[in-house]
Amino acid sequence: MMNKAVIVLLIVLTGGGCMEPKEGIPEYEGEVEKATFAGGCFWCMEPPFENLEGVVEVTVGYSGGSDEDATYKKVSEGGTGHVEAVQITYDPESIGYDELLEVYWQQIDPTDAIGQFADRGSQYQTVIFYHNSIQKRLAEESKKRLNGSGKFKRPIATEIREYTGFYPAEEYHQDYYKKNPVQYKGYKAMSRREGYLKSVWKDGVEDGPKPGSGGERGYKRPSEDELREKLTPTQYRVTRENGTEAAFNNEYWDNKSEGIYVDIVSGEPLFSSTDKFDSGTGWPSFNRPIEEDTIVENTDRTLGMVRTEVRSREGDSHLGHVFEDGPPPTGTRYCINSAALKFIPKEELGEKGYGEYLKLFE
């Protein structure tokens, strides 16, 4: 929630401003219908539908509330009853409402009743707004199937409500992912939506390579059942349950051998011994990752403090935290749990498929 608010403020300050909302729909021959879904941040709900065959237009806005003059500021402050939503105009002869429902489910955490990922609050609740009795029936049947699928430990919290109106959001919110691709990508990663979709909805992520395909680099996260068999109890607690191992009593805190450290879950390269230093904390510490885009940062407000958590991109493993108290040249300290890592010695890099990283030791 805070990440998004900061990004919005930056856009406004740099001239994004409020402009006239979208009006109408593009010219289209034939009858069209509308579907309205709320799935948390509407920036992230727009892209999955826009490229579907049969979809004419996707508009982000506000639905479900009583205030007819809905604005981002009013909705964010609460009290209007609106949620952030997307309205999809589609050709029912090319794509069915049931198909839109399948896409919708695969963009959200349907078990979260108080928001979505880092965004907390009533305006981020998930809701299916039905426009007619057929949509209502299909939505209820779809929700029932999902509840009975055994995919989730908690019941589906997404509400199904009658559609009462939709108010397009300010122009700078429309097609946000196209206008601000860098900020959008960063927000989606930092909010933890991206990691969740990759781990839970194997074929439901619209950005980047499909999870399960191994990502761009060929690394992938095994299933939860495989991880429970593969990992030790400590490794599982640290990587999957955000745990922390004991200081000075872990495998790599004082390892001085040359090599690289990879994610114990996915095998993706994360850190190099060339960037490792003795921080005196009792955990492995690094100046920087091998490559910046292998690490995802999230705000961690647990334990009564605000810290920056770091996770692996493909494995979505909890690694540790990053602090701004490290030595030159970066000034950063990546404080990492040994249990999240596997060390590959320099002399074994080639035979284990990491030969390209031998250049780090030249």
Side-chain angles (χ1 to χ4, degrees):
M1 184 175 181
M2 184 170 294
N3 290 336
K4 184 177 178 183
V6 170
I7 294 172
V8 171
L9 178 61
L10 288 173
I11 297 167
V12 174
L13 292 176
T14 53
C18 283
M19 299 173 64
E20 289 299 315
K22 289 182 179 180
E23 294 183 0
I25 61 173
E27 292 185 6
Y28 185 80
E29 295 181 2
E31 295 296 325
V32 295
E33 294 185 8
K34 292 183 183 295
T36 306
F37 302 127
C41 170
F42 48 26
W43 293 346
C44 300
M45 292 300 294
E46 190 176 20
F49 295 101
E50 284 210 324
N51 296 320
L52 295 178
E53 183 177 353
V55 169
V56 179
E57 185 182 45
V58 182
T59 303
V60 304
Y62 317 105
S63 194
S66 57
D67 193 332
E68 295 185 2
D69 185 24
T71 66
Y72 183 78
K73 185 175 186 297
K74 286 184 177 181
V75 172
S76 297
E77 292 174 348
T80 69
H82 288 289
V83 292
E84 291 194 8
V86 290
Q87 186 159 94
I88 302 148
T89 304
Y90 67 100
D91 172 15
E93 294 187 1
S94 299
I95 187 169
Y97 186 72
D98 55 343
E99 295 175 88
L100 296 176
L101 283 169
E102 287 301 308
V103 174
Y104 168 71
W105 289 125
Q106 294 179 27
Q107 311 310 316
I108 66 172
D109 175 1
T111 68
D112 193 338
I114 59 172
Q116 286 290 284
F117 313 105
D119 295 320
R120 319 310 291 164
S122 59
Q123 72 268 34
Y124 296 113
Q125 291 178 350
T126 58
V127 184
I128 297 171
F129 294 100
Y130 61 86
H131 289 247
N132 52 52
S133 60
I134 295 176
Q135 288 189 358
K136 180 182 180 182
R137 175 178 59 80
L138 291 174
E140 290 174 342
E141 291 175 352
S142 180
K143 179 177 177 178
K144 183 178 180 180
R145 284 195 302 271
L146 197 60
N147 254 325
S149 68
K151 190 175 185 66
F152 301 99
K153 295 181 180 179
R154 296 182 296 173
I156 304 305
T158 301
E159 296 182 28
I160 298 174
R161 298 187 212 162
E162 184 177 4
Y163 172 80
T164 57
F166 179 84
Y167 304 95
E170 296 81 349
E171 181 60 28
Y172 65 81
H173 288 302
Q174 309 295 337
D175 292 319
Y176 185 85
Y177 74 104
K178 293 179 181 178
K179 298 172 183 174
N180 304 278
V182 175
Q183 295 93 324
Y184 169 75
K185 183 177 179 181
Y187 168 75
K188 188 171 181 182
M190 291 178 67
S191 69
R192 298 188 66 179
R193 180 187 287 262
E194 183 176 47
Y196 176 91
L197 298 186
K198 285 185 175 182
S199 64
V200 176
W201 296 109
K202 299 303 182 184
D203 299 313
V205 184
E206 85 287 352
D207 296 324
K210 295 294 183 185
S213 68
E216 295 177 349
R217 306 169 187 274
Y219 305 106
K220 63 180 181 179
R221 176 191 163 194
S223 69
E224 286 300 312
D225 289 340
E226 291 173 314
L227 288 176
R228 289 185 182 278
E229 292 184 9
K230 170 185 176 180
L231 303 179
T232 68
T234 298
Q235 290 169 340
Y236 190 90
R237 178 175 60 83
V238 167
T239 60
R240 313 320 310 160
E241 298 174 346
N242 302 341
T244 301
E245 65 194 359
F248 300 103
N249 187 25
N250 55 78
E251 190 171 3
Y252 302 126
W253 75 271
D254 62 347
N255 182 30
K256 297 179 175 60
S257 300
E258 290 187 306
I260 67 171
Y261 296 81
V262 305
D263 180 11
I264 191 68
V265 167
S266 67
E268 58 196 293
L270 300 174
F271 301 97
S272 169
S273 62
T274 57
D275 298 310
K276 192 171 186 287
F277 66 95
D278 183 1
S279 64
T281 62
W283 290 286
S285 298
F286 305 88
N287 282 125
R288 56 193 157 204
I290 293 176
E291 298 179 43
E292 295 291 339
D293 64 357
T294 62
I295 299 295
V296 175
E297 296 185 0
N298 299 309
T299 300
D300 178 2
R301 300 181 184 277
T302 60
L303 304 180
M305 64 183 83
V306 179
R307 298 175 293 171
T308 300
E309 179 205 19
V310 289
R311 304 182 74 88
S312 62
R313 180 167 295 280
E314 297 298 336
D316 190 34
S317 301
H318 170 73
L319 304 175
H321 295 83
V322 60
F323 303 93
E324 300 300 321
D325 58 4
T330 64
T332 53
R333 171 172 61 94
Y334 287 83
C335 186
I336 307 299
N337 289 280
S338 291
L341 303 174
K342 180 179 180 180
F343 179 68
I344 311 294
K346 180 181 71 171
E347 56 271 17
E348 297 179 15
L349 291 176
E351 65 182 86
K352 293 192 174 178
Y354 299 97
E356 64 183 288
Y357 297 101
L358 283 167
K359 63 186 178 183
L360 296 173
F361 306 96
E362 295 176 353

